[in-house]
Amino acid sequence: GIQVEQSPPDLILQEGANSTLRCNFSDSVNNLQWFHQNPWGQLINLFYIPSGTKQNGRLSATTVATERYSLLYISSSQTTDSGVYFCAVGWGGSNYKLTFGKGTLLTVNP
Amino acid sequence: GAVVSQHPSRVICKSGTSVKIECRSLDFQATTMFWYRQFPKQSLMLMATSNEGSKATYEQGVEKDKFLINHASLTLSTLTVTSAHPEDSSFYICSASFQGYEQYFGPGTRLTVT
């Protein structure tokens, strides 16, 4: 199966700082999604981004499918941004599935 | 839009009993639903994929007789953990998609088997 690696595994920031999270994957994919898992376990869809660049407020994401990586940018971080950020890639054609990376645990301190 | 609910959010059961978890897509028809399992401080692992009206496809290592999945309608899938044991304690999360690749996730069900 496909391998998904996220870096860094842990990240501690001061409020207001910017950060970049990276997701590398080992093969061609149909889809890539970024999620934020809040402290209650809910996965919140951030981006559906198989290729290109998207922005949503303070967050933006870029996927370079030909080079098999995606980046999630968080600007002017807030304490509410804390949590685990997962990258998941979709693959498999008729047996389509998402494979998740291990996540980046982000802590934003006031 | 694209809201997925799960019920119950939390359940405690005794070893040997069965537990049913419901997953509903509230504002769209889900052609495919997925069930994941997440252990503390770990990532999500896909357990099975279910298409409405078809038998579920289980991932390698997942016991189909222990984790019964039913996807009887375009808005409802259920996961039944049969003869639960303490090692089945985990966070179970469902997701749903509609004729596409993007998946929307439910809030999860925390199962504790005593």
Side-chain angles (χ1 to χ4, degrees):
Chain A
I2 201 164
Q3 306 301 314
V4 182
E5 293 184 3
Q6 289 187 245
S7 60
D10 299 277
L11 184 59
I12 300 174
L13 300 174
Q14 286 300 121
E15 203 167 23
N18 303 328
S19 62
T20 301
L21 281 57
R22 188 176 179 100
C23 173
N24 291 335
F25 43 97
S26 61
D27 208 337
S28 300
V29 299
N30 303 110
N31 166 31
L32 188 142
Q33 292 185 249
W34 282 98
F35 300 93
H36 176 210
Q37 188 168 39
N38 67 20
W40 298 273
Q42 172 77 63
L43 277 168
I44 298 164
N45 288 41
L46 297 178
F47 294 101
Y48 170 79
I49 186 165
S51 64
T53 297
K54 291 186 177 179
Q55 180 153 8
N56 185 1
R58 295 181 296 104
L59 274 58
S60 64
T62 295
T63 296
V64 184
T66 53
E67 297 187 21
R68 300 178 185 168
Y69 74 89
S70 183
L71 302 173
L72 177 68
Y73 305 96
I74 304 174
S75 64
S76 303
S77 58
Q78 301 175 357
T79 55
T80 51
D81 294 332
S82 295
V84 182
Y85 289 80
F86 286 108
C87 160
V89 299
W91 59 283
S94 59
N95 190 25
Y96 176 80
K97 61 186 74 175
L98 278 182
T99 295
F100 280 73
K102 292 184 177 181
T104 292
L105 175 59
L106 174 65
T107 303
V108 181
N109 293 321
Chain B
V3 178
V4 178
S5 70
Q6 273 184 249
H7 178 80
S9 58
R10 187 180 296 265
V11 58
I12 301 173
C13 71
K14 291 188 183 300
S15 187
T17 62
S18 296
V19 173
K20 181 184 284 189
I21 302 169
E22 291 187 350
C23 176
R24 294 181 185 274
S25 56
L26 298 185
D27 53 1
F28 67 103
Q29 294 185 321
T31 49
T32 307
M33 286 184 164
F34 305 82
W35 287 94
Y36 296 82
R37 185 173 182 176
Q38 185 180 30
F39 290 108
K41 299 191 184 303
Q42 294 190 24
S43 188
L44 280 75
M45 297 297 294
L46 179 66
M47 299 174 66
T49 301
S50 73
N51 294 296
E52 185 262 341
S54 303
K55 287 185 178 180
T57 301
Y58 290 81
E59 294 298 298
Q60 193 170 7
V62 178
E63 299 176 58
K64 62 178 68 176
D65 293 332
K66 180 165 190 62
F67 299 100
L68 301 180
I69 291 171
N70 186 297
H71 190 168
S73 78
L74 285 171
T75 59
L76 173 64
S77 177
T78 60
L79 167 68
T80 301
V81 183
T82 63
S83 187
H85 291 285
E87 57 266 30
D88 299 323
S89 299
S90 189
F91 192 53
Y92 292 88
I93 310 174
C94 73
S95 73
S97 68
F98 171 68
Q99 292 185 347
Y101 295 132
E102 188 166 8
Q103 292 183 27
Y104 301 91
F105 284 77
T109 296
R110 193 162 304 282
L111 170 64
T112 303
V113 185
T114 61

